[in-house]
């Protein structure tokens, strides 16, 4: 390596620095745990993070916007995207299908931007198999009773759907050992600080900085 490159690399402005890929952060946790609220608050503090907008076949909830909350698609269109390899991962959850558009994630990582996915556990496992060095964060409720209360308060699901989501939540907890970090969402500000600490720590990992030298 030439001396000039070395110096530019260390200073963070040279060709080596430009080639450094972004980090993929994957957030999971039971429905209603407040992942979305944490991510929203995080993006306000760190607007340079790129949030991936998922595709889903479920119906929009009041206030949800096409292309912002989700890309709402028919089951047929979703299936076409799966067949065409347009999704990085996908999974069935409750009564819908959910998937992450591959292109957005790949392009942003190549540009050196950090990307955040907010997805359930089966999809997270697919991402772990397909993307090297992703960082997996699991958000836990203070208690399962509290999770139940939050789902009821949200009033976006009928009683049967809430029961279904709680059952899925119990199952999702089994996947916790697969994640790198866990945090309890009992205080939003603290939870966001913890995610920021994870982001900072991951940037300091030696393996992520080797190309600098
Ligand atoms: P909701 O219907 O409450 O918006 O989402 C239900 C679950 O699907 C949540 O756990 C959410 O994180 C997850 N989810 C949202 N988008 C995706 C996605 O693209 N892929 C996967 N596997 N799960 C997703």
């Amino acid at each position: 390596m030439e001396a000039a490159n070395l110096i530019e690399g260390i200073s963070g402005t040279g060709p080596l620095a430009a080639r450094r890929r972004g980090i993929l952060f994957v957030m999971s946790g039971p429905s209603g745990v407040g992942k979305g609220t944490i991510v929203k608050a995080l993006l306000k503090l760190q607007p340079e993070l790129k949030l991936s907008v998922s595709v889903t076949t479920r119906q929009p909830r009041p206030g949800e916007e096409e292309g912002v909350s989700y890309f709402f698609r028919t089951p047929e269109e979703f299936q076409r995207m799966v067949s065409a390899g347009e999704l990085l991962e996908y999974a069935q959850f409750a009564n819908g299908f959910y998937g992450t558009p591959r292109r957005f994630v790949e392009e942003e990582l190549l540009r050196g931007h950090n990307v955040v996915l907010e997805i359930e556990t089966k999809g997270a496992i697919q991402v772990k198999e397909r993307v090297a060095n992703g960082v997996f964060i699991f958000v836990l409720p203070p208690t399962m009773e509290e999770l139940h209360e939050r789902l009821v308060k949200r009033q976006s699901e009928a009683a049967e759907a809430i029961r279904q989501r709680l059952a899925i939540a119990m199952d999702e907890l089994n996947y916790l050992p697969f994640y790198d970090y866990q945090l309890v969402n009992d205080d939003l500000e603290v939870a966001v600080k913890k995610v920021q600490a994870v982001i900072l720590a991951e940037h300091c990992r030696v393996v992520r900085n080797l190309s600098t030298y």
Side-chain angles (χ1 to χ4, degrees):
M1 189 187 304
E2 290 182 7
N5 278 357
L6 186 64
I7 292 162
E8 280 173 348
I10 290 170
S11 70
T13 56
L16 291 180
R19 248 184 284 144
R20 198 177 304 154
R21 284 168 61 92
I23 305 173
L24 183 61
F25 293 94
V26 179
M27 306 255 305
S28 299
S31 176
V33 77
K35 287 166 294 188
T37 314
I38 294 175
V39 169
K40 230 190 224 165
L42 177 69
L43 287 173
K44 269 201 187 135
L45 296 170
Q46 298 195 211
E48 76 283 1
L49 293 170
K50 304 288 173 189
L51 177 65
S52 161
V53 178
S54 298
V55 183
T56 186
T57 62
R58 83 147 162 75
Q59 293 301 308
R61 293 183 190 132
E64 284 188 332
E65 260 180 77
E66 163 69 18
V68 179
S69 317
Y70 282 104
F71 296 107
F72 296 97
R73 295 291 179 269
T74 60
E76 292 73 26
E77 172 59 8
F78 192 93
Q79 188 51 52
R80 189 205 60 74
M81 294 180 85
V82 171
S83 304
E86 291 176 18
L87 300 180
L88 174 63
E89 61 72 36
Y90 72 96
Q92 188 171 12
F93 183 96
N95 297 322
F97 283 92
Y98 298 78
T100 304
R102 175 192 298 278
R103 200 156 153 198
F104 174 83
V105 175
E106 286 179 350
E107 285 181 357
E108 292 299 343
L109 290 177
L110 273 177
R111 283 190 191 124
H113 297 152
N114 292 341
V115 176
V116 179
L117 304 186
E118 192 206 312
I119 63 177
E120 53 72 69
T121 45
K122 284 176 277 163
I125 288 170
Q126 294 168 45
V127 174
K128 196 158 197 176
E129 286 162 0
R130 290 169 196 169
V131 180
N133 298 326
V135 181
F136 295 78
I137 305 170
F138 198 97
V139 184
L140 290 159
T143 60
M144 290 312 273
E145 289 73 38
E146 192 137 333
L147 185 67
H148 183 229
E149 269 171 36
R150 287 185 198 181
L151 281 171
V152 171
K153 261 193 220 145
R154 195 162 79 174
Q155 289 187 332
S156 57
E157 275 89 18
E160 180 49 35
I162 290 174
R163 263 195 296 279
Q164 187 186 21
R165 279 171 183 251
L166 274 176
I168 297 173
M170 295 300 285
D171 182 53
E172 284 198 302
L173 289 177
N174 293 324
Y175 291 89
L176 186 57
F178 155 94
Y179 286 76
D180 302 307
Y181 297 94
Q182 70 176 63
L183 54 101
V184 177
N185 186 20
D186 47 5
D187 178 321
L188 177 63
E189 209 174 308
V190 175
V192 173
K193 276 207 178 111
K194 285 183 179 171
V195 179
Q196 287 190 292
V198 168
I199 295 173
L200 190 59
E202 287 295 328
H203 271 280
C204 297
R205 284 173 73 102
V206 171
V207 283
R208 298 198 193 276
N209 292 283
L210 285 176
S211 62
T212 323
Y213 297 95

